[in-house]
Amino acid sequence: MLHPSYADLIKVVNSGVEEGEDPVVSSRYSIVMATSKRARQIIAGDEELVDGRGKKPLSVAVEELNQGKIQILTDEFKEETEEETVAEASGAESPAAEESDAE
């Protein structure tokens, strides 16, 4: 049995969501996909964010999620980040850069 439970992990992930907003995750599948992705990152050499001595990478990933050390990003957030990256790559200046050039 997974400890903490899926229900507990879903509560942790959705704890920052305000009333009326869509939850970040609503299924076990989302939890499984997020923790497995993080476990692969740990296997590839990323630094563990919790004490993982003697634990398998998946257990470390679950503990990181439970402690709020990692977050599951919504598709909406990913799209916003990708748009910003594309704008930067195309040479578009940020508003802050435009303001500093005007002085």
Side-chain angles (χ1 to χ4, degrees):
M1 178 175 201
L2 178 66
H3 181 74
S5 69
Y6 288 111
D8 292 341
L9 289 172
I10 289 173
K11 286 178 188 176
V12 168
V13 171
N14 291 329
S15 64
V17 176
E18 294 182 20
E19 190 173 324
E21 291 183 359
D22 291 332
V24 176
V25 297
S26 57
S27 70
R28 293 178 180 190
Y29 178 77
S30 300
I31 298 292
V32 169
M33 293 304 297
T35 53
S36 65
K37 182 176 181 176
R38 178 63 182 142
R40 286 191 300 272
Q41 292 172 345
I42 293 169
I43 291 168
D46 283 8
E47 184 177 338
E48 297 173 354
L49 304 175
V50 297
D51 182 22
R53 287 178 280 168
K55 295 181 181 176
K56 295 181 181 180
L58 184 58
S59 297
V60 173
V62 168
E63 189 60 33
E64 289 177 347
L65 186 62
N66 189 45
Q67 290 185 17
K69 303 280 183 176
I70 59 172
Q71 295 178 347
I72 298 175
L73 303 179
T74 62
D75 290 336
E76 192 175 290
F77 181 81
K78 290 177 190 176
E79 289 172 6
E80 290 172 8
T81 305
E82 288 173 1
E83 289 173 3
E84 290 172 4
T85 303
V86 170
E88 290 172 2
S90 67
E93 294 184 11
S94 67
E98 291 173 14
E99 291 173 4
S100 63
D101 291 340
E103 293 176 358

